[in-house]
Amino acid sequence: MGYDEPGRDGSIEPSSGVPAAVLENVFDDPSHGEPGRDRVGVHIGWEIVLLVGLAAVAWLLWREDPDVLRGSGLRTLLVDVVALGLLTLAAGLSLRTAAPNLAIGPVAVAAALHFAEQGDRGVADAVAPAAAVAAVAGLLLGLAVVVLHVPGWAASLAGAAGVVVYIERRSAPVLVQGEYDPRRHAVYLFAGFAAVAVLGGLFGAIRAIRRLVGRFRPVADPSRRRGVVAAVVTTGALVCSTVLAMLAGVLIAANGTAPVAPTAGLDWTVLAIGVALLAGTSAYGRRGGIFGTLFAVGLVSAFLAYAQARGWTVSRWALGGAALGVGLLVTRLVERYGRPGPVIADAPEPVSDGAISSGWAMPRPRPVDNWPPAVPTPSAENPVDPWRSPRWEDEPRRWDDDER
């Protein structure tokens, strides 16, 4: 019969009624996820909008001050793009793992202050200790998140408070020491950032990698642990996020002309997370685009250069808040139209006959009525004899007439 054929897997996922082999191929999370693959069309559509906005702002900037887009002005702008881009990558990576790192802004400011003080020792001698401290801090943050299984934003906010205490030990701005000028390598720095952003987006679009990176995203009760794999990936993401924020701080200090001010740096956090959401990264984790980070960072950097050319004073708090507002709308758009499409559970399954045809379809069994049908229960007051017919009693019998 159709249900005893060899080679058919009979294991069924209890929560969905779909064969386990099918679940492994189509579910982002085979244990709890939605059936089907995420749709990337919504990301591509939004990235086209970002590209059009970037082209429009770049045209306005060219009309206002062409020198910004050529020569030394362009190199300075490219370094600014890379610095903001590294912060955005740090924010986006932590968001994709559903453990947002709110300490990236204070870490960037602390790294800028450290480089300003130690830059005269050489780039390697100044950056290597800062990178080691950032990696250890990210590891401790990750362990706190996964061992206690607490929200990443809460644990990183506590870490940000500790970094701010380190920053407040300086009462005055620090003049940058050393002679390192990142503008000499602006093109290479920008090419490296663009490659990391685009390749990261491409790898993040692969179902297996996206499922792995976003495994810490809650699917039921947020306090339930998501397993060892999710813990390892989330810890690694927080370490990378902290190191990227440190590198961004070094570029901010080296590319600036004014002394580094000892500020809390949370405005950089707001701006970076806002740009990451604007790029199409979901605030819930896992989902994200391909070119969105590159286009969103370019758009915000070009707008800041345009505002400076026009003589406007734009606060990072205001710009970050606006980016966050639009980014939350983008998150709703991504979660609504990027989720897997509906799966029809009653679709016939193709079954091969192994000889002539390529396959035939057998519909799923459906419940049937009871068979044979039940005989109606006669009334107890007037029982009916099935062998007795009223005609035998009422009609005249023929042999009676003959006797007469």
Side-chain angles (χ1 to χ4, degrees), residues 93 97 138-139 142-143 146 230-243:
L93 180 59
T97 56
L139 179 61
L143 291 177
V146 300
V232 172
V233 171
T234 303
T235 302
L238 289 174
V239 171
C240 295
S241 175
T242 309
V243 173

Side-chain angles (χ1 to χ4, degrees), residues 76-138:
T76 301
L77 179 59
L78 288 179
V79 176
D80 288 337
V81 170
V82 175
L84 179 59
L86 290 177
L87 271 179
T88 304
L89 286 176
L93 180 59
S94 62
L95 283 172
R96 290 286 287 262
T97 56
N101 187 357
L102 302 186
I104 55 176
V107 168
V109 173
L113 290 170
H114 170 78
F115 183 80
E117 295 173 345
Q118 306 295 329
D120 55 347
R121 299 171 50 190
V123 177
D125 292 337
V127 173
V133 172
V136 172

Side-chain angles (χ1 to χ4, degrees), residues 61-300:
L61 179 59
W62 175 265
R63 289 190 55 187
E64 186 65 29
D65 188 1
D67 293 335
V68 178
L69 296 178
R70 59 191 178 193
S72 61
L74 178 60
R75 291 191 291 270
T76 301
L77 179 59
L78 288 179
V79 176
D80 288 337
V81 170
V82 175
L84 179 59
L86 290 177
L87 271 179
T88 304
L89 286 176
L93 180 59
S94 62
L95 283 172
R96 290 286 287 262
T97 56
N101 187 357
L102 302 186
I104 55 176
V107 168
V109 173
L113 290 170
H114 170 78
F115 183 80
E117 295 173 345
Q118 306 295 329
D120 55 347
R121 299 171 50 190
V123 177
D125 292 337
V127 173
V133 172
V136 172
L139 179 61
L140 294 176
L141 175 61
L143 291 177
V145 170
V146 300
V147 173
L148 300 178
H149 198 77
V150 294
W153 66 266
S156 61
L157 191 59
V163 179
V164 171
V165 171
Y166 168 81
I167 294 173
E168 289 181 343
R169 296 175 57 188
R170 294 157 178 80
S171 57
V174 179
L175 185 65
V176 179
Q177 306 296 320
E179 298 179 354
Y180 173 67
D181 186 4
R183 291 180 287 270
R184 292 177 299 180
H185 312 100
V187 176
Y188 300 105
L189 291 173
F190 177 78
F193 156 69
V196 171
V198 174
L199 289 178
L202 286 173
F203 280 109
I206 300 175
R207 178 178 56 86
I209 296 178
R210 182 187 61 247
R211 185 175 66 188
L212 179 66
V213 172
R215 203 170 186 85
F216 199 72
R217 169 174 168 160
V219 294
D221 186 351
S223 64
R224 291 183 179 177
R225 298 183 183 274
R226 299 288 288 138
V228 177
V229 176
V232 172
V233 171
T234 303
T235 302
L238 289 174
V239 171
C240 295
S241 175
T242 309
V243 173
L244 287 173
M246 182 277 305
L247 294 176
V250 171
L251 290 181
I252 290 173
N255 195 42
T257 56
V260 179
T263 60
L266 290 176
D267 52 346
W268 284 107
T269 297
V270 172
L271 180 60
I273 292 182
V275 176
L277 294 180
L278 184 66
T281 305
S282 173
Y284 295 103
R286 193 180 76 188
R287 294 190 171 100
I290 300 175
F291 300 94
T293 299
L294 181 62
F295 294 160
V297 170
L299 173 61
V300 173

Side-chain angles (χ1 to χ4, degrees), residues 31-54:
S31 300
H32 306 94
E34 295 175 296
R37 294 186 174 93
D38 286 349
R39 293 175 287 186
V40 299
V42 61
H43 294 284
I44 296 176
W46 176 246
E47 288 167 2
I48 293 175
V49 175
L50 290 175
L51 180 60
V52 172
L54 173 60

Side-chain angles (χ1 to χ4, degrees), residues 1-8 347-364:
M1 297 297 292
Y3 308 106
D4 298 326
E5 296 170 357
R8 175 173 291 189
E349 298 180 1
V351 180
S352 175
D353 56 13
I356 302 176
S357 64
S358 60
W360 51 275
M362 173 171 288
R364 296 178 181 271

